[in-house]
Amino acid sequence: MTVVGYLSVAPVIEDSMASEVAKAVDALEEFDVEYETNPMGTVIETEEIGELFAAAQAAHEAVDGDRVSTVLKIDHKRTAETTAADKVTSVEEHLGRDASSAQ
């Protein structure tokens, strides 16, 4: 996969956003993407940049509310195949350990 994106979609509300964030994550199921959600957003991987944009738009539109905040960060490596896991592995090789704390 050559396109890795970081997506965060949330309604601008005072209460819990979990149910609306779940709608955004669920919308990704309609696209040819792999994804992993973490506490701050969702990492998305796909072969085509257009698929990433379409998935991000669907996630944004899935969230109800008068105001929705969406952040999309894209790493589109055009000359080599790489994955999000490859990126983490590379950092871990430099660290000489896992890239997470042992808590």
Side-chain angles (χ1 to χ4, degrees), residues 33-79:
V33 300
E34 292 181 22
Y35 63 89
E36 182 177 345
T37 300
N38 62 56
M40 299 296 291
T42 300
V43 175
I44 303 171
E45 296 181 72
T46 188
E47 296 287 336
E48 300 292 330
I49 189 78
E51 192 75 2
L52 178 63
F53 282 123
Q57 180 177 353
H60 175 85
E61 292 175 351
V63 174
D64 292 327
D66 293 338
R67 187 173 176 191
V68 178
S69 174
T70 298
V71 175
L72 177 61
K73 181 177 181 178
I74 300 169
D75 183 354
H76 187 188
K77 194 163 190 177
R78 298 174 177 174
T79 58

